[in-house]
Amino acid sequence: MGSNGTFLLIVTSAAKEREKAEKAAQKKVAKTPSTSGYTTPVSQAMSPVNTPSRAPKKAGMGAKKSGATTPRDTGGLDARLFDMAALNLLPKKEEPIDESPPKIALERGKLLQEVRKVLEGKGGDKKAVSLVVIGHVDAGKSTLMGRLLYELGRVDEKTRVANERGSSKAGKSSFSWAWELDGTVEERERSAFLCYFTCTYRLIGRGITMDIALQSLSTPQRQVTILDAPGHKDFIPNMISGAAQADCALLVVDAITGEFEAGFDRGGQTREHLLLVRSLGVSQVIVAVNKLDQVNWDPSRFEEICGLLRAFLVQSGFPPSKTSFVPVSAMFGVNLVNCTDADASALSKWYKGPTLVDLLDKLEPPTREIASPFRLPISNVFKGQNSGTGVTGRICGGVVQVGERLRVLPGDESAIVRLIDVEEQSVPWAAAGTNATLYLTSIDPIHLSIGSVLCPPSDIVPLATVFIARIIVFDIQLPITTGASIELFHHSRDVPATISKLIATLDRASGVVTKKNPRVLTKGTSAEVEISLRAGTLSGPALSARPIPLEPFSVNKDMGRILVRRGGETISAGIVVDITS
């Protein structure tokens, strides 16, 4: 008992001495001034991880051995904290800088006057048009536009040489011009393998455009924004997103025997692309018959292709007065800007018409709805380096200027326009028909998504889950019935939906009802149907469909156009007549 009592007394005394030593070390550190302006948190420094297992005195002796730069007496603290504080490496709290939002420069009436003046060309500015480049896969769309940009001085010699060397190194020397628009690694390397896609075309050795490439060029009378759309059928949704932003279309077809037929016959993208752009409101089209040099500039081949396409264009609703054809060679630059060089000698013997640039210079921009409420469907969201969150898209109506507050739908969030960029130039305002980039402030980027619509808080765009549409059924094999599951496309948004009711079939010329409550819709039929959005899954618990921003075609033409696809095929297109829910 005596020995046990003595042992307990010694242990208790040692514990008290250790506790006193730790308290003394804490007081000493608290009184020592910090040269870096940073006070070491005692609770962090004396945490179990950093607390030495021995007495403070021995810990200080042990610290000597770690190096000359280590403080001799750390008082049981982690020496690394002292080193980081001395070098100003410890994080410091930065107070957020509150930037006042920009103010609106012009009253709305004066703004509209200025916009009309610019759009009419009274200020000496060129008229702006947006052009989507469409066509079957491997027709030479990107090559054509890359060579055209070079001929017009939009691509410098250094970039051309770099693209040529890079494509040769990759074993694709013939794609050097296309690399100016196919800028991503995926697009440049896509030509080798598409293993995880179900494709009906042989893609080995081909260059594949996957997304919309945005460029611009200038002709004597026009400022043209180019949207190079993907030609492969697996990227039709991206093509629809680009075509929805265009005023006019440039169709590129391959003149090589067999290649044109592959794109124009059933299953090819030449027909589908033309139907899509017409359904999205494009009425002007230029047809560039490419690769005629590979058929020895045969005029009969050119006329054969033009004859086949003219009939189809008229059938699809393109006015003959707004359709033109031009023979070109994208690889050699023949008849793009001029037709006077040595490579064009064979063509100039029988062709005396305009060049491609001449036709681009005659494109007429459609009427802009600048007096209607502002609408901008978002096609892309990104984080700017110094300007906050940026969104891009084509303005479908109205005018926006720096400093305006906009509502984001669907949702309850709003944002203020900080900057506006058009053609990589900062501008004070942007009007309907413009492909613009808006940098927004006072909003969390999580509330911005592709397919959302920006609009004024005082005149918001309606949200719909059920609506009535007037559609035209394309050349389909499987008829459309009530309850058919479809994929609905509206600008850059695609959502699952159901044709919930077949209301009536219509006469295509007059719009008069020919039959009410039809059982099926076959190819070539014009009809009025009810479309209901549905949740993402067909099975499982019932989920409510999320509404999307829509407007009747009579209110806003661009906001009232839709496309319907099923099983990877575009089956119909139409306009919104009324929103029921």
Side-chain angles (χ1 to χ4, degrees):
M1 180 70 181
S3 60
N4 290 338
T6 303
F7 176 74
L8 289 174
L9 181 62
I10 294 173
V11 171
T12 305
S13 177
K16 289 182 178 180
E17 289 294 330
R18 185 165 58 249
E19 185 178 353
K20 289 180 180 180
E22 290 179 355
K23 290 181 179 180
Q26 293 179 14
K27 291 179 180 179
K28 186 176 180 180
V29 172
K31 293 179 180 180
T32 302
S34 174
T35 58
S36 64
Y38 174 81
T39 303
T40 305
V42 176
S43 60
Q44 179 182 356
M46 297 303 296
S47 62
V49 175
N50 296 325
T51 303
S53 59
R54 299 182 180 181
K57 184 176 180 180
K58 292 184 180 181
M61 294 175 61
K64 275 186 180 181
K65 299 178 183 179
S66 64
T69 58
T70 307
R72 292 190 175 186
D73 189 5
T74 63
L77 300 178
D78 191 350
R80 291 172 294 179
L81 293 175
F82 288 94
D83 295 339
M84 295 176 68
L87 295 174
N88 291 324
L89 296 177
L90 289 172
K92 297 180 180 180
K93 293 183 178 179
E94 296 183 1
E95 296 183 0
I97 301 175
D98 294 330
E99 290 189 14
S100 58
K103 297 181 180 179
I104 296 177
L106 293 174
E107 184 266 331
R108 181 168 176 82
K110 294 182 179 179
L111 177 62
L112 290 177
Q113 289 180 3
E114 183 176 337
V115 172
R116 289 191 181 97
K117 181 180 178 181
V118 173
L119 292 180
E120 292 171 1
K122 293 181 180 179
D125 296 330
K126 299 177 181 179
K127 292 185 178 180
V129 293
S130 54
L131 179 80
V132 62
V133 186
I134 59 175
H136 190 63
V137 63
D138 203 34
K141 299 181 294 298
S142 298
T143 299
L144 174 64
M145 300 317 299
R147 183 62 188 255
L148 181 60
L149 290 171
Y150 173 74
E151 296 290 341
L152 292 174
R154 291 284 296 171
V155 179
D156 55 30
E157 189 66 19
K158 182 179 179 181
T159 304
R160 184 196 70 79
V161 173
N163 288 339
E164 186 175 350
R165 288 177 179 174
S167 60
S168 298
K169 187 177 180 180
K172 308 168 187 176
S173 57
S174 61
F175 298 152
S176 60
W177 296 111
W179 275 26
E180 181 58 33
L181 280 88
D182 294 343
T184 65
V185 175
E186 290 84 358
E187 289 176 320
R188 292 181 175 185
E189 294 181 351
R190 196 65 166 181
S191 54
F193 301 102
L194 278 173
C195 303
Y196 51 91
F197 281 139
T198 304
C199 301
T200 58
Y201 307 107
R202 183 172 176 82
L203 298 179
I204 297 177
R206 292 186 173 185
I208 305 297
T209 300
M210 299 163 60
D211 210 339
I212 295 295
L214 190 65
Q215 287 283 358
S216 64
L217 59 85
S218 181
T219 68
Q221 303 295 329
R222 298 289 182 266
Q223 183 66 32
V224 184
T225 300
I226 301 171
L227 300 145
D228 181 30
H232 194 269
K233 68 175 186 178
D234 287 328
F235 306 113
I236 283 287
N238 293 348
M239 181 267 164
I240 293 173
S241 176
Q245 304 175 50
D247 299 321
C248 315
L250 173 63
L251 172 67
V252 182
V253 297
D254 191 339
I256 299 176
T257 303
E259 292 295 328
F260 169 76
E261 287 75 13
F264 189 67
D265 291 344
R266 180 177 177 82
Q269 298 309 297
T270 302
R271 285 175 175 264
E272 185 171 12
H273 281 195
L274 285 172
L275 289 172
L276 288 174
V277 296
R278 187 66 192 98
S279 301
L280 292 169
V282 174
S283 60
Q284 299 177 75
V285 61
I286 299 172
V287 180
V289 183
N290 190 26
K291 303 185 184 181
L292 271 173
D293 57 295
Q294 298 193 34
V295 293
N296 300 318
W297 296 104
D298 185 1
S300 62
R301 179 61 172 168
F302 176 71
E303 291 299 332
E304 177 189 0
I305 292 173
C306 292
L308 292 171
L309 284 174
R310 278 194 187 97
F312 183 74
L313 288 168
V314 172
Q315 178 185 350
S316 302
F318 289 94
S321 60
K322 295 184 178 181
T323 304
S324 53
F325 297 83
V326 58
V328 297
S329 172
M331 185 62 66
F332 297 102
V334 176
N335 209 35
L336 300 184
V337 178
N338 57 67
C339 194
T340 57
D341 53 5
D343 292 327
S345 58
L347 174 63
S348 59
K349 293 179 181 178
W350 55 270
Y351 181 77
K352 307 298 180 183
T355 64
L356 178 58
V357 170
D358 293 336
L359 294 176
L360 293 176
D361 201 42
K362 295 178 181 178
L363 292 174
E364 284 296 328
T367 304
R368 310 298 190 189
E369 300 292 338
I370 61 173
S372 61
F374 176 74
R375 302 286 186 260
L376 187 142
I378 298 175
S379 61
N380 191 21
V381 182
F382 62 94
K383 180 68 175 177
Q385 292 183 351
N386 301 314
S387 306
T389 305
V391 297
T392 60
R394 172 183 165 87
I395 301 176
C396 294
V399 184
V400 64
Q401 62 176 318
V402 173
E404 278 196 49
R405 179 173 290 276
L406 299 176
R407 179 84 176 269
V408 183
L409 288 175
D412 297 324
E413 301 297 322
S414 63
I416 297 176
V417 181
R418 182 180 178 185
L419 290 172
I420 301 175
D421 279 0
V422 177
E423 304 288 350
E424 300 181 355
Q425 299 290 329
S426 183
V427 295
W429 55 264
T434 305
N435 297 87
T437 299
L438 273 58
Y439 293 95
L440 306 176
T441 185
S442 303
I443 189 171
D444 193 326
I446 196 172
H447 300 298
L448 298 168
S449 60
I450 293 176
S452 297
V453 175
L454 300 180
C455 58
S458 59
D459 201 337
I460 62 174
V461 61
L463 296 176
T465 54
V466 182
F467 61 93
I468 307 299
R470 186 170 297 168
I471 64 172
I472 295 177
V473 182
F474 295 155
D475 186 11
I476 59 175
Q477 294 181 332
L478 185 65
I480 299 175
T481 59
T482 301
S485 297
I486 58 170
E487 195 173 5
L488 180 71
F489 283 80
H490 180 256
H491 289 277
S492 298
R493 181 187 294 272
D494 60 289
V495 294
T498 301
I499 296 182
S500 51
K501 186 178 181 181
L502 304 181
I503 300 174
T505 56
L506 310 172
D507 181 79
R508 293 187 62 171
S510 62
V512 177
V513 175
T514 57
K515 184 179 181 181
K516 292 185 178 181
N517 302 319
R519 296 181 60 187
V520 296
L521 301 179
T522 56
K523 65 179 182 179
T525 304
S526 178
E528 198 167 282
V529 299
E530 182 186 76
I531 298 179
S532 303
L533 305 187
R534 56 181 172 82
T537 56
L538 292 172
S539 59
L543 299 175
S544 59
R546 297 185 62 183
I548 63 172
L550 277 180
E551 276 188 298
F553 184 79
S554 58
V555 177
N556 189 309
K557 293 182 179 180
D558 288 340
M559 290 294 296
R561 289 191 175 96
I562 60 168
L563 287 171
V564 176
R565 304 192 85 223
R566 178 182 64 185
E569 179 185 15
T570 305
I571 61 174
S572 70
I575 60 174
V576 178
V577 176
D578 188 27
I579 297 174
T580 58
S581 174

